Amino acid sequence: MGNTLRAIVSFIPADICQKYILGDLDEMPTDKMLDLSSRQVRRFPLCVCSFRELVKLYLSDNNLKHLPSELEQLQKLQILALDFNNFHTLPPVVCTLKQLSILYLGNNKLGDLPAELRQLNLKSLWIESNCFYHLPNVVCELRQLKTLHVGSNALQSLPGQLRYLKELHIIWLSSNFLTEFPPVLLHMPFLEVIDVDCNAICDFPNLTHLVGLKLVIYDHNPCRNAPKVAKGVRRVGRWSEESPEPRKRSGLQRNKGAEDINTLLPPPPLSFKRC
């Protein structure tokens, strides 16, 4: 009932109605983190732009399509979550947030990313469940990137320039339209986790030369062979030594941990659609 009422109230611009949706935003949070997820927000609250010391801003699971230029004032922002909204393009102001290192854009309607994104030193980029038919060119210019989640799109291949991301350790490519194991990944020995689950790959190449590899997930492919891997590398898929049950991907927390298989699998999304 609460979300239904919020959805109705969100159309009313009166201050009292907006306060009901957003809560008390009179003062900067002492922990420098603001979570406005799942509030049925349709217009970004400009008062947030006065919180100049803000480090983490979560706007997941709302109805946002735009962001104001005033957001540029949040120059200490390191984490920005815009997943589960209605963005067709990435608002340009995001590319002005120079300290941003983690950006969540999953479950929107994005078909490309602006070239200006190269100005950021992103370490983690989540663009799963969008409308990407090709990996945006700018992604290959994010030289500090360590984690890339581009699952549940419509990718048929990966660009060769991806090999220049020497810091990239984890790449999630599940639920795309890959018909072959992306050749560029064979030139990325620094990768630790490769997920190509739920694609259309029939044959897997030898991966024993990928010295950094710790986990490869290749389940739900029409494959005729399992990928050969070095000793100690975990495989999840047909004919693997072990096929552990995938960890349930729901909830609001992103778990952080050590090197067991649960921490190598994709963490749950920050937010999810409520019924």
Side-chain angles (χ1 to χ4, degrees):
M1 185 67 180
N3 277 343
T4 301
L5 185 55
R6 278 198 182 99
I8 297 171
V9 172
S10 67
F11 285 98
I12 306 173
D15 290 344
I16 191 171
C17 294
Q18 296 306 302
K19 187 169 185 178
Y20 171 79
I21 295 172
L22 300 170
D24 190 358
L25 294 178
D26 294 335
E27 296 182 2
M28 227 275 301
T30 55
D31 59 1
K32 300 181 181 180
M33 186 272 285
L34 182 60
D35 189 352
L36 297 177
S37 301
S38 306
R39 304 292 185 93
Q40 300 293 328
V41 176
R42 294 180 177 275
R43 298 186 307 278
F44 183 86
L46 285 176
C47 59
V48 171
C49 298
S50 65
F51 301 157
R52 304 294 179 85
E53 301 297 313
L54 206 62
V55 173
K56 304 175 184 179
L57 177 58
Y58 300 99
L59 295 163
S60 307
D61 192 22
N62 283 296
N63 295 299
L64 293 171
K65 296 181 180 179
H66 309 284
L67 293 176
S69 59
E70 288 85 351
L71 190 70
E72 186 178 5
Q73 299 173 28
L74 304 184
Q75 282 301 312
K76 295 191 177 181
L77 208 59
Q78 298 176 21
I79 299 176
L80 178 60
L82 300 173
D83 45 338
F84 290 97
N85 276 282
N86 293 311
F87 292 104
H88 287 76
T89 59
L90 182 66
V93 67
V94 173
C95 301
T96 69
L97 303 173
K98 301 300 185 182
Q99 293 196 40
L100 204 62
S101 63
I102 302 177
L103 181 58
Y104 297 102
L105 297 173
N107 289 272
N108 279 284
K109 299 177 177 65
L110 300 172
D112 203 357
L113 295 174
E116 290 76 14
L117 198 66
R118 69 166 68 97
Q119 302 172 27
L120 305 182
N121 292 317
L122 290 179
K123 294 182 178 179
S124 183
L125 178 62
W126 292 57
I127 52 176
E128 76 283 4
S129 299
N130 275 284
C131 304
F132 294 109
Y133 290 88
H134 306 281
L135 188 70
N137 292 332
V138 69
V139 172
C140 298
E141 300 184 55
L142 302 175
R143 299 302 172 89
Q144 302 303 313
L145 203 62
K146 297 180 180 296
T147 301
L148 174 61
H149 193 338
V150 67
S152 299
N153 280 284
L155 302 183
Q156 298 183 47
S157 62
L158 294 179
Q161 293 87 340
L162 196 68
R163 73 181 70 183
Y164 300 123
L165 300 188
K166 304 295 186 181
E167 297 297 319
L168 190 64
H169 298 314
I170 301 175
I171 184 166
W172 309 108
L173 296 162
S174 61
S175 300
N176 276 283
F177 297 154
L178 300 174
T179 56
E180 67 171 346
F181 187 84
V184 65
L185 301 184
L186 300 176
H187 301 280
M188 301 174 70
F190 38 83
L191 284 174
E192 297 180 6
V193 177
I194 300 174
D195 177 14
V196 289
D197 184 33
C198 294
N199 278 280
I201 302 173
C202 294
D203 294 290
F204 280 93
N206 191 321
L207 305 180
T208 55
H209 66 290
L210 299 182
V211 294
L213 196 60
K214 296 179 181 178
L215 171 65
V216 56
I217 306 172
Y218 63 96
D219 211 5
H220 305 103
N221 279 279
C223 54
R224 295 186 287 265
N225 68 304
K228 292 183 179 180
V229 295
K231 184 178 180 180
V233 178
R234 300 295 299 270
R235 297 186 300 177
V236 179
R238 195 177 181 188
W239 303 300
S240 65
E241 294 79 12
E242 298 179 70
S243 295
E245 289 293 323
R247 186 157 54 89
K248 185 178 180 182
R249 298 186 64 200
S250 62
L252 294 177
Q253 290 188 334
R254 289 189 168 92
N255 298 322
K256 302 184 184 300
E259 295 291 337
D260 64 18
I261 191 168
N262 282 336
T263 57
L264 290 174
L265 289 172
L270 173 71
S271 183
F272 57 94
K273 285 291 184 184
R274 277 74 170 171
C275 298

